[in-house]
PDB file of all heavy atoms in Angstrom:
ATOM      1  N   ARG A  51     -22.232  -1.242  10.386  1.00 93.00           N
ATOM      2  CA  ARG A  51     -22.420  -0.803   9.003  1.00 93.00           C
ATOM      3  C   ARG A  51     -23.811  -1.205   8.520  1.00 93.00           C
ATOM      4  O   ARG A  51     -24.442  -2.095   9.091  1.00 93.00           O
ATOM      5  CB  ARG A  51     -21.349  -1.398   8.094  1.00 93.00           C
ATOM      6  CG  ARG A  51     -21.480  -2.895   7.861  1.00 93.00           C
ATOM      7  CD  ARG A  51     -20.302  -3.427   7.053  1.00 93.00           C
ATOM      8  NE  ARG A  51     -20.380  -4.845   6.811  1.00 93.00           N
ATOM      9  CZ  ARG A  51     -19.926  -5.777   7.625  1.00 93.00           C
ATOM     10  NH1 ARG A  51     -19.340  -5.438   8.757  1.00 93.00           N
ATOM     11  NH2 ARG A  51     -20.037  -7.057   7.322  1.00 93.00           N
ATOM     12  N   THR A  57     -34.060  -9.724   0.123  1.00 89.00           N
ATOM     13  CA  THR A  57     -35.443 -10.032  -0.219  1.00 89.00           C
ATOM     14  C   THR A  57     -36.331  -8.796  -0.220  1.00 89.00           C
ATOM     15  O   THR A  57     -37.030  -8.521  -1.178  1.00 89.00           O
ATOM     16  CB  THR A  57     -36.009 -11.076   0.765  1.00 89.00           C
ATOM     17  OG1 THR A  57     -35.127 -12.195   0.788  1.00 89.00           O
ATOM     18  CG2 THR A  57     -37.382 -11.541   0.347  1.00 89.00           C
ATOM     19  N   ARG A  88     -44.007 -14.050   4.224  1.00 93.00           N
ATOM     20  CA  ARG A  88     -44.242 -14.134   5.657  1.00 93.00           C
ATOM     21  C   ARG A  88     -45.235 -13.077   6.156  1.00 93.00           C
ATOM     22  O   ARG A  88     -46.088 -13.350   6.965  1.00 93.00           O
ATOM     23  CB  ARG A  88     -42.922 -13.990   6.415  1.00 93.00           C
ATOM     24  CG  ARG A  88     -43.042 -14.087   7.913  1.00 93.00           C
ATOM     25  CD  ARG A  88     -41.740 -13.763   8.630  1.00 93.00           C
ATOM     26  NE  ARG A  88     -40.596 -14.490   8.152  1.00 93.00           N
ATOM     27  CZ  ARG A  88     -40.264 -15.715   8.550  1.00 93.00           C
ATOM     28  NH1 ARG A  88     -40.985 -16.342   9.440  1.00 93.00           N
ATOM     29  NH2 ARG A  88     -39.189 -16.302   8.060  1.00 93.00           N
ATOM     30  N   ARG A 160     -88.023 -22.555  -3.675  1.00 44.00           N
ATOM     31  CA  ARG A 160     -88.528 -22.953  -4.987  1.00 44.00           C
ATOM     32  C   ARG A 160     -89.771 -23.817  -4.811  1.00 44.00           C
ATOM     33  O   ARG A 160     -89.838 -24.651  -3.924  1.00 44.00           O
ATOM     34  CB  ARG A 160     -87.466 -23.727  -5.744  1.00 44.00           C
ATOM     35  CG  ARG A 160     -86.285 -22.866  -6.081  1.00 44.00           C
ATOM     36  CD  ARG A 160     -85.344 -23.617  -6.956  1.00 44.00           C
ATOM     37  NE  ARG A 160     -84.252 -22.714  -7.309  1.00 44.00           N
ATOM     38  CZ  ARG A 160     -83.079 -23.103  -7.683  1.00 44.00           C
ATOM     39  NH1 ARG A 160     -82.812 -24.381  -7.785  1.00 44.00           N
ATOM     40  NH2 ARG A 160     -82.151 -22.236  -7.988  1.00 44.00           N
TER      41      ARG A 160
END
Side-chain angles (χ1 to χ4, degrees):
R51 70 185 180 273
T57 307
R88 181 187 309 276
R160 294 187 177 157

